[in-house]
């Protein structure tokens, strides 16, 4: 396979709210670029990119899928990402390695909650974007309302590049404001794109918006700005150059329109991807760091002649070929047989086979060049976010941060045979998904799995059964509460034990207080203020480790502690009886004592909930949300429906989909995402603590 020059490569993602048409759009792209000879539909369970059985059954994207296609000599790597909030991490890790993205908007709904979430994620990784107002032929579609919604909720730095000729049932074509031409789509599978004159009734609006477009983009190109100010004719090439400059700089978001399901506008969208989204070299130098000194910066560019550098952004266990490690190659050429250093683990891994991925199908290659996306086969110790590089030129990219689970379920194997396979299955799923956690409860012996929502855990249990042939019984979902303190408190704690020979002695004087990192990345801090050698230096790490371990199991009810700053101030030791273990035990005792004096509280996860329903059901829904301790934060008109925005404790939302369906006679929908942790009301807090201690068999004074 010939290597495409890096200038002709586009690494793009498709991102949106659930059901905005991401997978349908990708299927059209694959058809029009010649990858597929027929179009697979999501509603038929035949979509190429939704290859998992669960995706086919549910009609949603669960895992990021990658594919390669070609359009007018351009090599396009596409990642189709999930829209459901439970799988936001899939979007997060994909955005990390993309050069550009297409944000899809359902034109009947405008910018929806998950659109806002993924938009903020794209902002975090500075990913340039185009916006495609999809479903222009859908009942209730309104292009200009959608544009207004985009400007209000996503960004004001937008520019309209196309307008529809009609909408909903009257959608007949697209007016391109750069070419000032009208495009229609005919022929078998609408493969014939016809360029014609703009209908007279649309000409005035087209001229008005073209003038506005040129005015907006002129700030990104001096030649265009001068021509525009002098009243000269502005060429198509000048406009495209300016728009591209604005997009690459991540300061401009062009808006296009069409209908993927109706096969109108996808070819024009592909032209926009190649015209405006950046190639790998457009993103400039990527800042990396020295693995031994994180203050030392190292730069890499998408150049085959530089040392090999890649980032693993997804791990997938394929039942036929084994572990697939999806990578973005940032620099150099990686070839079969190369040894790569994982700078996170310090281990080297040998490249056995190299693959280009097309959903769950594979094409074996001998090398992957700078700027391209592919997969390694057979890597054992590499995890999501790990940097892989030439062992002679160690380098590391800032590691990805993933949210901790907000919901957990107890599971148990259905048979002895299942028990033997359970650990292996969980290990593989945990390796694929950083937000899926599991552990064994020491008191009960139960296996506890945690994730980002009910659907997330439901899918994982189903995958255990289908992919790993493990059948499990599951309990009711449990909320992952947190413990925290409200004020500062101290303790003077000794651990003494004398029984025959050598005894144990550890003595610490410490303070604890809430700790909130301004950037929100850390929730623990340890400070050593011991002077005069009253505690020898060799025991300080043991005190710190014990403090960190207390973060996992809080004194109040055994839930993780959300934020803590521990300061060890004083203490004493015994020349013979002191040990690391003695100081760890003294620290446990001291933190527990101080914690109970520092205004301890139970925190619960609060969810951002959006409910979309017909107006007539609004009163019943608001009443139901209030009964769930929810707070209504606002309302938003969505075509013929109303969107109710609220914050509700997660514990009150189990099974809500069924309730909503009943209230609205199946006409209401809801989405939910984690917002923050808040204090549980005192009456509920006592109940939670009592139930927790009852399950664990703990005494009140333990």
């Amino acid at each position: 396979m010939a290597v495409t020059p890096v200038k002709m490569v586009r690494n793009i993602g498709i991102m949106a709210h659930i059901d905005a048409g991401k997978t349908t759009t990708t299927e059209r792209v694959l058809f029009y670029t010649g990858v597929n000879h027929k179009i697979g539909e999501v509603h038929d369970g035949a979509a190429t990119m939704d290859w998992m059985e669960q995706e086919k059954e549910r009609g949603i994207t669960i895992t990021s899928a990658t594919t390669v296609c070609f359009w007018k000599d351009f090599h396009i790597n596409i990642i189709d990402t999930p829209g459901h909030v439970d799988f936001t991490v899939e979007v997060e890790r994909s955005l990390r390695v993309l050069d550009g993205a297409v944000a899809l908007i359902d034109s009947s709904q405008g910018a929806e909650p998950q659109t806002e979430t993924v938009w903020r994620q794209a902002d975090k990784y500075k990913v340039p974007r185009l916006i495609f107002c999809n479903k222009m032929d859908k009942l209730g579609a309104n292009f200009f309302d959608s544009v207004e919604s985009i400007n209000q909720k996503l960004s004001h730095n937008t520019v309209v590049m196309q307008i529809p000729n009609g909408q909903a049932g009257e959608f007949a074509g697209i007016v391109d404001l750069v070419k000032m031409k009208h495009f229609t789509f005919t022929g078998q599978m609408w493969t014939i794109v016809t360029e014609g004159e703009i209908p007279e009734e649309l000409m005035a609006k087209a001229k008005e918006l073209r003038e506005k477009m040129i005015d907006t983009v002129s700030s990104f190109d001096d030649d265009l700005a001068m021509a525009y100010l002098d009243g000269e004719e502005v060429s198509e090439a000048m406009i495209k150059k300016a728009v591209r400059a604005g997009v690459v700089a991540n300061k401009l978001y062009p808006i296009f329109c069409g209908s993927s399901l109706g096969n109108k506008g996808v070819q024009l969208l592909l032209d926009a991807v190649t015209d405006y989204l950046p190639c790998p070299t457009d993103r400039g130098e990527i800042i990396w760091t020295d693995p031994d000194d994180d203050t030392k910066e190292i730069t890499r560019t998408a150049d085959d002649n530089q040392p090999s550098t890649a980032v693993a952004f997804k791990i997938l266990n394929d039942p036929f070929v084994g572990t697939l490690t999806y990578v973005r190659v940032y620099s150099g050429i990686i070839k079969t047989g190369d040894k790569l250093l994982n700078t996170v683990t310090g281990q080297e891994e040998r490249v056995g086979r190299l693959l280009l991925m097309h959903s769950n199908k594979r094409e074996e290659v001998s090398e992957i060049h700078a700027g391209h996306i592919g997969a390694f086969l057979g890597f054992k110790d590499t995890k999501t976010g790990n940097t892989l590089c030439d062992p002679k030129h160690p380098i590391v990219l800032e590691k990805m941060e993933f949210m901790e689970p907000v919901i957990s379920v107890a599971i148990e194997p259905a048979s002895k045979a299942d028990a033997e396979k359970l650990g292996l299955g969980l290990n593989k799923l945990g390796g694929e998904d950083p937000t899926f956690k599991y552990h064994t409860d020491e008191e009960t012996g139960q296996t506890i799995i945690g994730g980002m929502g009910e659907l997330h855990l439901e899918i994982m249990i189903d995958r255990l059964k289908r992919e790993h042939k493990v059948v499990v019984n599951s309990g009711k979902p449990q909320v992952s509460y947190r413990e925290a303190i409200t004020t500062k408190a101290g303790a003077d704690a000794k651990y003494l034990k004398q029984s025959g020979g050598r005894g144990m002695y550890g003595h610490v004087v410490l303070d604890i207080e809430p700790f909130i990192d301004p950037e929100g990345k850390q929730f623990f801090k340890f400070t050593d203020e011991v002077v005069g050698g009253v505690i020898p230096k060799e025991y300080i790490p043991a005190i710190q480790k014990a403090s960190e371990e207390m973060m996992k199991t809080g004194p109040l009810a055994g839930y993780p502690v959300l934020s803590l700053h521990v300061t060890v101030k004083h203490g004493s030791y015994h020349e013979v009886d002191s040990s690391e273990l003695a100081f760890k035990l003294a620290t446990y005792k001291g933190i527990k004592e101080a914690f109970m004096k520092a205004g301890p509280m139970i925190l619960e996860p609060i969810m951002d909930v959006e409910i979309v329903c017909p107006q007539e059901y609004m009163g019943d829904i608001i009443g139901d949300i209030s009964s769930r301790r929810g707070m209504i934060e606002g309302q938003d008109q969505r075509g013929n429906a109303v969107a109710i925005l609220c914050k509700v404790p997660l514990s009150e939302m189990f099974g809500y989909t069924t309730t909503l369906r009943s209230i609205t006679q199946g006409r209401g929908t809801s989405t939910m995402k984690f917002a923050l942790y808040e204090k549980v009301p005192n009456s509920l807090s006592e109940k939670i603590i009592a139930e927790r201690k009852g399950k664990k068999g703990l005494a009140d004074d333990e």
Side-chain angles (χ1 to χ4, degrees):
M1 181 177 165
V3 179
T4 305
V6 71
K7 285 283 186 184
M8 305 294 283
V9 174
R10 300 289 183 269
N11 295 314
I12 69 166
I14 300 180
M15 60 188 210
H17 189 89
I18 189 170
D19 204 31
K22 295 181 304 302
T23 301
T24 301
T25 301
T26 308
E27 292 297 317
R28 272 39 181 190
V29 167
L30 297 181
F31 176 77
Y32 292 121
T33 58
V35 174
N36 285 353
H37 299 293
K38 69 173 193 154
I39 295 176
E41 302 291 7
V42 176
H43 52 264
D44 294 333
T48 304
M49 300 298 278
D50 285 350
W51 58 271
M52 293 173 63
E53 290 301 319
Q54 296 92 336
E55 294 176 316
K56 293 176 180 179
E57 291 171 3
R58 299 165 188 266
I60 62 171
T61 302
I62 293 168
T63 182
S64 304
T66 67
T67 193
V68 176
C69 62
F70 293 85
W71 182 252
K72 298 179 180 179
D73 297 326
F74 285 86
H75 179 131
I76 305 175
N77 295 305
I78 303 174
I79 298 181
D80 177 28
T81 60
H84 197 286
V85 291
D86 283 13
F87 305 100
T88 300
V89 67
E90 288 282 343
V91 184
E92 179 99 6
R93 58 187 175 182
S94 299
L95 286 169
R96 176 55 148 308
V97 300
L98 295 177
D99 297 319
V102 177
L104 292 191
I105 304 292
D106 182 335
S107 297
S108 69
Q109 301 295 324
E112 297 175 270
Q114 183 64 1
T115 319
E116 296 179 66
T117 299
V118 297
W119 191 271
R120 287 194 294 271
Q121 290 173 315
D123 282 340
K124 176 181 175 181
Y125 293 114
K126 300 180 174 60
V127 178
R129 278 144 279 175
L130 309 178
I131 300 169
F132 184 64
C133 289
N134 192 24
K135 303 190 179 186
M136 285 306 311
D137 52 358
K138 183 180 175 181
L139 183 67
N142 191 307
F143 177 74
F144 291 105
D145 280 358
S146 294
V147 171
E148 181 61 28
S149 171
I150 291 164
N151 288 333
Q152 285 183 359
K153 296 180 180 180
L154 304 183
S155 174
H156 290 287
N157 299 326
T158 61
V159 59
V160 173
M161 305 291 290
Q162 298 173 345
I163 59 172
N165 178 5
Q167 47 198 27
E170 297 178 354
F171 179 53
I174 295 168
V175 174
D176 186 292
L177 302 178
V178 178
K179 294 178 179 289
M180 284 301 281
K181 294 291 183 180
H182 180 255
F183 289 88
T184 54
F185 306 85
T186 56
Q188 188 175 9
M189 297 306 300
W190 296 268
T191 53
I192 301 172
V193 183
T194 304
E195 182 181 306
E197 298 303 315
I198 298 173
E200 189 177 338
E201 64 270 21
L202 292 174
M203 184 57 79
K205 188 68 172 177
K207 285 182 176 178
E208 176 197 335
L209 288 172
R210 188 177 197 268
E211 189 79 10
K212 188 176 178 180
M213 173 188 69
I214 293 171
D215 184 49
T216 300
V217 306
S218 62
S219 61
F220 299 103
D221 187 87
D222 291 341
D223 292 339
L224 186 150
M226 290 298 294
Y228 179 57
L229 290 171
D230 293 341
E232 299 174 6
E233 184 64 29
V234 176
S235 69
E236 178 184 334
M238 291 171 72
I239 295 173
K240 285 186 175 180
K241 182 184 174 190
V243 174
R244 180 175 177 80
V247 172
V248 169
N250 205 21
K251 294 179 179 178
L252 186 69
Y253 307 108
I255 300 176
F256 304 85
C257 62
S259 168
S260 297
L261 187 63
N263 302 288
K264 294 181 175 69
V266 176
Q267 297 99 319
L268 302 184
L269 178 63
L270 279 165
D271 286 338
V273 165
T274 57
D275 284 341
Y276 304 123
L277 286 180
C279 69
T281 54
D282 287 329
R283 300 297 305 279
E285 293 183 332
I286 306 293
I287 306 296
W288 307 68
T289 56
D290 187 317
D292 298 321
D293 181 5
D294 60 9
T295 63
K296 184 180 177 182
E297 294 185 346
I298 305 170
T299 58
R300 290 277 190 273
T301 55
D303 185 344
D304 285 350
N305 297 314
Q306 291 199 0
S308 300
T309 313
V311 168
F313 67 92
K314 178 179 174 66
I315 310 297
L316 183 68
N317 291 292
D318 188 292
F320 301 104
V321 297
T323 302
L324 287 166
T325 303
Y326 287 74
V327 297
R328 159 73 186 264
V329 180
Y330 282 90
S331 63
I333 304 173
I334 295 176
K335 301 177 181 180
T336 303
D338 284 353
K339 283 189 176 179
L340 297 175
L341 172 67
N342 184 326
T343 48
V344 176
T345 65
Q347 301 297 311
E348 288 189 7
E349 302 233 40
R350 184 179 176 277
V351 179
R353 293 167 62 189
L354 294 172
L355 305 169
L356 293 183
M357 304 302 297
H358 175 51
S359 185
N360 64 332
K361 298 182 179 69
R362 298 165 289 275
E363 176 189 354
E364 193 159 346
V365 293
S366 60
E367 56 189 30
I368 300 177
H369 289 246
H372 286 260
I373 287 173
F376 300 157
L377 186 60
F379 277 30
K380 293 181 174 63
D381 299 317
T382 298
K383 304 295 183 186
T384 298
N386 287 179
T387 301
L388 300 160
C389 63
D390 183 338
K392 295 178 182 176
H393 299 87
I395 197 171
V396 65
L397 190 65
E398 180 188 7
K399 71 175 184 178
M400 300 181 189
E401 301 286 344
F402 299 112
M403 290 177 62
E404 289 295 311
V406 296
I407 186 173
S408 62
V409 163
I411 61 171
E412 59 182 25
S415 68
K416 186 178 179 182
D418 292 311
E420 292 171 354
K421 295 183 289 186
L422 178 61
L424 183 61
L426 289 173
N427 187 52
K428 287 186 174 180
L429 291 176
E432 292 183 15
D433 186 346
T435 60
F436 176 71
K437 306 287 188 182
Y438 64 93
H439 70 277
T440 301
D441 188 292
E442 292 181 3
E443 280 80 15
T444 65
Q446 288 181 309
T447 299
I448 310 295
I449 60 173
M452 303 312 297
E454 286 183 274
L455 179 62
H456 187 196
L457 295 184
E458 187 182 324
I459 294 291
M460 288 305 191
I461 290 171
D462 194 42
R463 288 186 66 191
L464 274 174
K465 180 181 178 180
R466 297 194 193 216
E467 297 171 24
H468 303 287
K469 310 301 184 220
V470 181
V471 179
V472 298
N473 300 317
S474 58
K476 292 181 179 179
Q478 302 293 319
V479 176
S480 291
Y481 293 101
R482 295 289 187 269
E483 298 183 21
I485 54 176
T486 56
T487 187
K488 185 175 181 178
D492 186 332
K494 285 184 181 178
Y495 185 83
L496 298 166
K497 191 174 182 180
Q498 193 70 47
S499 56
R502 183 177 172 180
M504 295 184 73
Y505 182 94
H507 174 210
V508 294
V509 179
L510 52 81
D511 286 342
I512 63 168
E513 59 188 319
F515 172 66
I516 304 296
D517 177 30
E519 296 183 4
K521 292 183 178 180
Q522 293 179 306
F523 298 98
F524 175 77
K525 185 179 180 181
F526 179 82
T527 304
D528 173 16
E529 292 187 356
V530 174
V531 295
V534 293
I535 300 177
K537 288 291 182 186
E538 62 260 32
Y539 296 133
I540 299 298
I543 298 172
Q544 181 172 350
K545 188 175 181 182
S547 303
E548 291 174 352
E549 288 173 354
M550 288 295 291
M551 294 286 292
K552 300 175 184 176
T553 311
L556 205 54
Y559 291 109
V561 177
L562 187 61
S563 65
L564 198 67
H565 180 188
V566 178
T567 304
V568 58
K569 303 176 76 72
H570 197 67
S572 62
Y573 75 104
H574 189 279
E575 288 187 359
V576 177
D577 293 346
S578 285
S579 63
E580 289 186 357
L581 178 59
F583 274 101
K584 284 182 74 172
L585 293 170
T587 304
Y588 294 145
K589 184 179 178 183
I591 291 179
K592 183 176 181 179
E593 182 185 324
F595 199 96
M596 302 310 288
K597 296 189 292 187
M601 59 182 175
I602 300 291
L603 303 176
E604 63 180 337
I606 306 295
M607 312 303 284
D608 275 327
V609 181
E610 185 191 73
I611 302 151
V612 180
C613 64
Q615 188 84 31
E616 60 261 36
Y617 301 110
M618 197 170 82
D620 290 341
I621 286 172
I622 289 175
D624 182 66
I625 290 296
S626 297
S627 72
R628 297 171 185 268
R629 299 191 286 125
M631 293 287 292
I632 307 297
E633 295 196 317
Q635 299 168 25
D636 188 16
Q637 201 66 35
R638 295 278 173 83
N640 298 323
V642 64
I644 303 167
L645 310 174
C646 47
K647 280 188 167 62
V648 192
L650 175 61
S651 61
E652 304 285 349
M653 292 299 289
F654 293 142
Y656 181 70
T657 303
T658 304
T659 302
L660 179 63
R661 196 178 294 126
S662 174
I663 293 174
T664 64
Q665 299 179 20
R667 296 170 68 189
T669 60
S670 68
T671 57
M672 183 170 65
K673 64 180 180 182
F674 172 75
L676 73 165
Y677 281 99
E678 280 189 351
K679 184 183 178 187
V680 173
N682 289 336
S683 57
L684 285 176
S685 179
E686 292 169 6
K687 184 181 176 183
I688 291 166
I689 293 170
E691 286 181 355
R692 181 77 165 176
K693 287 185 174 181
K695 286 179 183 177
K696 288 183 170 288
L698 301 176
D700 289 336
D701 61 350
E702 192 176 338

